[in-house]
Amino acid sequence: MDSNALKAFLTIVDQGSFSEAAETLHLTQPAISKRLAALENQLGTTLIDRSHRQIRLTDAGSRLLPHARRILDEIHNARVALSPDSGQVEGELQIIASHHIGLHHLPNWLRRFKREYPQVLINLQFMESDAAYEQMRKRNAELAFVTLSDSMEPSFHVFAQWPDRMVFVAGAEHPLASLSKPELSDLADHPALLPDTSTATYRVVSRLFLEANLHLNPQMPTNYLETIKMMTSVGLGWSVLPLRMVDDSLRVLELGKPVSRMLGGIGLSGRQLSNAAKALLDIVQEEENA
């Protein structure tokens, strides 16, 4: 099978349209349609149902999909293995970072990385962790730095990880801030400003309230921790935020309930990393373990 035809097939599936796939691969729409048609002719079957406005895989297309990804992964691995100078750190490095990691961790890593490896061109995207996992499945980045999930698929490999301590907080003028020894029951009387229910942070907090048989009253969910911090600081409710985000606008509520999450750098299992990715991971490990 022609690797370009397989790439066209995967890009059509991932982008959800022929036109967007053509733009992604810098091809004309007739050219990408021709590549798919050539692959279908070679296999003797239709891979994508064109009778609907929305892209739909046929049964054969669904069966080909995981094999196509593995084939292109192996081609990628072969190119990495046959690199003329296996020790050289250069080229383009595509990475994804969650908004929190991008604001509070990434600057130190990249400052050092650009100083030590100025010949590497970094292509950086910011997005929520759930979206980052999806982009990694589509091979749209080599590494993603995200909140690690306790239900992570085996197709992902964790290359680096570190704990992110979190604390219960309220605004300086919030009624909870005046309590010397607040309890979970005190928090239950006030709105909670937490990220979406699908996040690790929400699940940890929700579990604490369930175990104490208390009602959790979440308000205005958002996954942008800077937004949650602002809403908490002006007294709209209490929250749970990373310790490194706490400043004079917030008061830590000492409940004696330790909360933590794991942050980390992930890649895809079976897909070899470039030297640039390995170099960045070395820096991340050193900086976060310091």
Side-chain angles (χ1 to χ4, degrees), residues 125-255:
Q125 303 175 68
F126 294 100
M127 62 189 69
E128 295 179 8
S129 292
D130 286 347
Y133 282 106
E134 181 61 27
Q135 290 303 307
M136 289 295 292
R137 290 187 192 97
K138 296 177 180 179
R139 278 64 171 172
N140 287 338
E142 190 169 4
L143 291 172
F145 296 97
V146 295
T147 301
L148 299 181
S149 170
D150 51 9
S151 58
M152 187 184 308
E153 299 173 9
S155 58
F156 293 110
H157 181 78
V158 179
F159 289 102
Q161 61 180 316
W162 62 94
D164 189 34
R165 184 187 168 196
M166 306 187 78
V167 290
F168 288 87
V169 293
E173 298 181 5
H174 192 279
L176 290 171
S178 63
L179 301 180
S180 58
K181 292 184 178 180
E183 302 285 342
L184 274 181
S185 57
D186 297 315
L187 272 62
D189 295 331
H190 299 273
L193 303 173
L194 298 169
D196 187 79
T197 56
S198 63
T199 61
T201 300
Y202 184 92
R203 289 196 295 270
V204 169
V205 176
S206 176
R207 191 178 302 120
L208 287 175
F209 275 73
L210 283 173
E211 291 172 351
N213 197 27
L214 293 170
H215 175 67
L216 181 63
N217 184 22
Q219 301 287 314
M220 299 177 287
T222 173
N223 289 346
Y224 294 99
L225 296 187
E226 295 293 333
T227 301
I228 291 177
K229 176 184 175 182
M230 179 276 294
M231 294 192 296
T232 305
S233 68
V234 300
L236 297 183
W238 59 267
S239 187
V240 176
L241 292 171
L243 180 60
R244 65 169 58 217
M245 292 183 67
V246 175
D247 57 23
D248 292 341
S249 69
L250 299 171
R251 295 291 182 271
V252 175
L253 305 175
E254 301 288 357
L255 274 71

Side-chain angles (χ1 to χ4, degrees), residues 39-47 58 60-61 63:
L39 180 62
E40 290 177 326
N41 288 335
Q42 183 181 20
L43 296 175
T45 185
T46 302
L47 301 173
T58 64
R63 284 184 279 128

Side-chain angles (χ1 to χ4, degrees), residues 50-62:
R50 299 164 177 78
S51 63
H52 301 276
R53 295 182 61 183
Q54 192 173 20
I55 291 295
R56 292 185 182 179
L57 285 171
T58 64
D59 179 63
S62 296

